[in-house]
DNA sequence: ACTTCTGCTGCAAACCTTTGCAGTCACACC
DNA sequence: GGTGTGACTGCAAAGGTTTGCAGCAGAAGT
């Protein structure tokens, strides 16, 4: 029932190759013919069959986007931006969710490999080695991780963590806790490294607690441990944890920011609505999504497995391996304040 | 470079059709042969080419999911559930975002049509007529709307609205406002109808304000108008609006729930974190996502355009047109309380 | 011993499109 | 007038898979 290139050709009295060219290489066909073909196509409601096209060109005009958890508010803005950018370039995007499971991650890359021109791997939990290997199977762009030999877009969370710590020490805090993220997270390591350095520079003490699950529950569960350390300020791996911590501290009778200051990372929409509103490090997630698809497309344009007959691979292995770094900024809201005269621990004693 | 069915056949000393059958109709091949083929395939890293498969079967094993705004917190749980359910059935899902624009909606259905076995149309803003027409082009399941002749899954927001109104009148409120959603939203009409009826039954007055954009800003902007009506309780089209309203009322110096009660709809994650925590109607978004892909797959199994040679269409037009309705529930939290003795308007006057 | 059946495998067409090559035609140039 | 040029179009192969049909062997039934 759906019209094919052949139907259009017949209706128009031309050969199918002419119809094909009208769509894929318009400059090769006489304007007059072209218009006639276009008209017939329009009339018959013809739409090129992407599967057939993919079969012969080897390019699907699809990309895959793999994230840990679609429902985690950090991701949707990134997904949205990537999808929009891709569509502008006439690409569609498969979105897949790993449920934070590295095994699923790998499986998904495989499942998608034959069906896309490349995949965006977001905040992977896999080992670097495995990622490199997968990168040999299908063009890959990694988000929130640096992997040797692979294009990547990362957020400058190191800077963000430093700004956060400086903000806190500037308010007089001398005793800090860092709530680390999940094991295997590149971002978490980065934050830790930078926060430690910044604390040392300001002659403050920084205790690292973790790893913790990067969820609200992870933050809530950490509240008790935080209290026992007696610190006056906390930097959390992400906003979700920070928000959970806010709740946990509240349940323990500690006031934020009077008794203890809290800083998150990500600036998810939610952080503007908590009470107190969360001080946090804004990460440009939308920009990251856009940048990632641009890198994939521009780069994949060369590297994509071209199974058509033309097959002009020019040394598949040494890929340009650009890595872009996006800037983060501190957003000061209400969850941070000057260090209390007496640490929170004392307050609990009364 | 990537292994094809032919490579496997050669490595195994069988005909390609045997390899094909090993994957697509295993019961037709001798267990012994099958295992040999499987082993070869494994060894060569063979993965079936879905484009080629799609080309001949006419089934892509992909589905499209079209939503108004990925970043709107109402959608991610639905997307996640749909994707997960689809993957279990060996389907992948294209996610697309319309930016609330009906024109983009239509364009997307077209763009996806040739590339998927069906599409899930979520909270469409298009006209019913257009949807019906598109439904003739590609199998369609509509979410949050009833369209004649098309399978649909809707949430019983009518019930939710009734429960909300009864909850409020039960607390002594006699003067209510409904903040309507965007024009063209089936859900909004449904809520309005039901809330009006419930208010009448309880002998309360209900004023409808709107249409409003279904966003936080929409709620905030409505605060002033709400205050002028002097009501003691508000039901909002969705949680985003309710949260915005909370902020707007706060800015006007009105306390929730002491001066005025607020109820939202959807129970997005955010509503547990506002202060006061939002009373709302929980909609089973994840279940809706799952149900929708099930309907599409089960139904699309028959209706899908079979372009292969078998072509055994049995009366394309009269499709089974199941419509499932999911139950909503009221979740009482802190944004609702007993009606104040004097309405809010008075309080402002002092 | 002959047919019938069953279980398995091979054959080849078909799905729709792209694209290198070759052919046609008109026109201009020498 | 012959040759060359350029613009356009047709031809046919190729891409990887599925599937109706036919073939074949061996078992079972008569």
């Amino acid at each position: 029932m759906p019209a094919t290139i052949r139907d259009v050709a017949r209706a128009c009295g031309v050969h199918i190759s002419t119809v094909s060219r009208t769509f894929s290489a318009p400059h090769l066909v006489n304007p007059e013919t072209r218009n006639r073909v276009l008209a017939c196509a329009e009339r018959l409601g013809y739409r090129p069959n992407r599967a057939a096209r993919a079969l012969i060109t080897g390019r699907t005009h699809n990309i895959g986007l793999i994230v840990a958890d679609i429902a985690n508010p950090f991701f949707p803005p990134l997904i949205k931006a990537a999808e929009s950018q891709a569509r502008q370039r006439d690409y569609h995007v498969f979105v897949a969710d790993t449920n934070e499971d590295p095994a699923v991650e790998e499986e998904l890359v495989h499942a998608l490999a034959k069906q896309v021109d490349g995949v965006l791997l977001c905040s992977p939990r896999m080992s670097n080695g495995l990622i490199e290997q997968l990168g040999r199977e299908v063009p890959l762009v990694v988000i929130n991780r640096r992997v040797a030999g692979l294009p990547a877009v990362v957020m400058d969370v190191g800077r963000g963590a430093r700004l956060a710590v400086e903000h806190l020490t500037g308010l007089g805090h001398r005793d800090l806790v860092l709530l680390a993220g999940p094991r295997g997270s590149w971002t978490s390591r980065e934050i830790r490294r930078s926060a430690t350095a910044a604390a040392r520079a300001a002659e403050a003490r920084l205790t690292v607690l973790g790893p913790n699950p990067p969820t609200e529950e992870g933050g809530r569960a950490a509240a008790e441990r935080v209290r026992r350390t007696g610190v006056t300020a906390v930097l959390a791996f992400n906003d979700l944890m920070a928000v959970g911590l806010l709740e946990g501290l509240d349940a323990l009778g500690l006031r934020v920011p009077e008794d203890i200051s809290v800083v998150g990372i990500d600036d998810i929409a939610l952080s503007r609505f908590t009470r107190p509103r969360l001080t946090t490090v804004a990460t440009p997630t939308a920009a990251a999504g856009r940048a990632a698809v641009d890198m994939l497309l521009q780069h994949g344009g060369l590297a994509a497995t071209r199974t058509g007959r033309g097959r002009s691979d020019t040394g598949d292995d040494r890929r340009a391996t650009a890595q872009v770094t996006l800037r983060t900024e501190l957003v000061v809201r209400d969850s941070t304040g000057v260090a209390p005269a007496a640490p929170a621990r004392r307050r609990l004693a009364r």
Side-chain angles (χ1 to χ4, degrees), chain A residues 3-350:
Chain A
T4 80
I5 210 177
R6 207 172 306 271
D7 300 324
V8 179
R10 195 170 327 132
C12 230
V14 299
H15 194 263
I16 58 164
S17 50
T18 303
V19 179
S20 171
R21 275 188 276 257
T22 311
F23 291 96
S24 49
H27 60 281
L28 288 181
V29 18
N30 187 320
E32 196 180 330
T33 324
R34 193 197 310 157
N35 289 334
R36 234 176 47 230
V37 172
L38 253 21
C40 287
E42 175 69 33
R43 186 159 51 79
L44 299 182
Y46 167 74
R47 308 205 166 248
N49 182 326
R50 294 180 81 128
R53 183 177 281 186
L55 185 56
I56 191 163
T57 61
R59 331 234 41 224
T60 60
H61 268 232
N62 294 150
I63 71 183
L65 172 54
I66 299 183
V67 301
D69 178 7
I70 298 174
N72 177 333
F74 172 77
F75 291 108
L78 191 150
I79 300 175
K80 181 177 172 114
E83 194 269 339
S84 148
Q85 186 81 349
R87 186 136 41 87
Q88 261 182 38
R89 311 259 189 277
D90 194 26
Y91 271 72
H92 289 144
V93 5
F94 286 112
V95 175
D97 180 307
T98 68
N99 264 316
E100 304 261 359
D101 183 340
V104 177
E105 239 169 34
E106 182 186 358
E107 185 195 317
L108 274 172
V109 176
H110 277 133
L112 250 30
K114 266 289 191 348
Q115 202 170 184
V116 299
D117 294 344
V119 352
L120 268 32
L121 202 52
C122 204
S123 310
R125 306 279 188 251
M126 286 187 278
S127 75
N128 270 10
L130 190 47
I131 297 181
E132 286 174 37
Q133 182 189 321
L134 291 174
R136 253 167 269 134
E137 221 168 288
V138 58
L140 222 55
V141 171
V142 190
I143 303 176
N144 276 345
R145 181 113 146 208
R146 290 198 143 93
V147 180
L150 284 181
V153 8
V154 300
M155 327 253 197
D156 190 359
V157 282
R159 175 173 193 270
R162 178 172 60 75
L163 290 178
V165 169
E166 287 172 0
H167 168 61
L168 290 172
T169 55
L171 288 168
H173 296 273
R174 287 286 155 260
D175 248 321
L176 316 179
V177 149
L178 168 64
L179 249 38
R183 195 184 310 278
S185 158
W186 177 89
T187 301
S188 185
R189 277 203 307 281
E190 211 48 23
I191 291 171
R192 175 177 187 155
R193 198 166 51 74
S194 182
T196 307
R200 179 157 37 227
E203 302 188 335
R205 255 194 311 279
L206 180 114
T207 319
V208 179
L209 258 37
N212 302 283
T215 61
E216 179 204 332
E217 186 46 41
R220 191 181 349 241
E224 175 59 29
R225 276 179 295 151
V226 167
R227 184 179 58 80
R228 278 203 300 267
T229 62
V231 299
T232 60
V234 182
L235 171 60
F237 168 69
N238 70 11
D239 282 0
L240 233 39
M241 275 179 62
V243 167
L245 179 65
L246 249 32
E247 297 211 312
L249 293 175
D250 187 64
L252 292 177
L254 290 175
R255 292 165 310 167
V256 175
E258 291 83 355
D259 300 323
I260 190 164
S261 288
V262 173
V263 180
I265 296 183
D266 283 350
D267 195 21
I268 60 179
L270 170 54
S271 9
R272 295 199 317 277
F273 295 101
T274 56
R275 284 298 129 81
R277 287 151 50 221
L278 190 65
T279 294
T280 187
V281 175
T283 53
T285 44
R290 279 190 297 271
V293 337
D294 276 349
M295 291 182 67
L296 184 64
L297 259 35
Q298 154 190 343
H299 174 82
L302 305 170
T305 352
R306 175 129 170 62
T307 65
R309 29 154 121 183
R311 185 180 293 274
S312 60
D313 294 2
T314 56
D316 190 22
D317 264 1
R318 45 143 181 68
R319 296 181 172 164
T321 166
Q323 310 209 140
V324 332
T325 304
L326 267 24
R327 198 181 176 83
T328 62
E329 288 298 347
L330 182 70
V331 179
V332 177
R333 288 200 272 252
D334 312 332
S335 67
T336 48
V338 295
R345 180 163 35 187
R346 305 275 166 73
R347 184 171 179 275
L348 195 77
R350 56 176 191 159

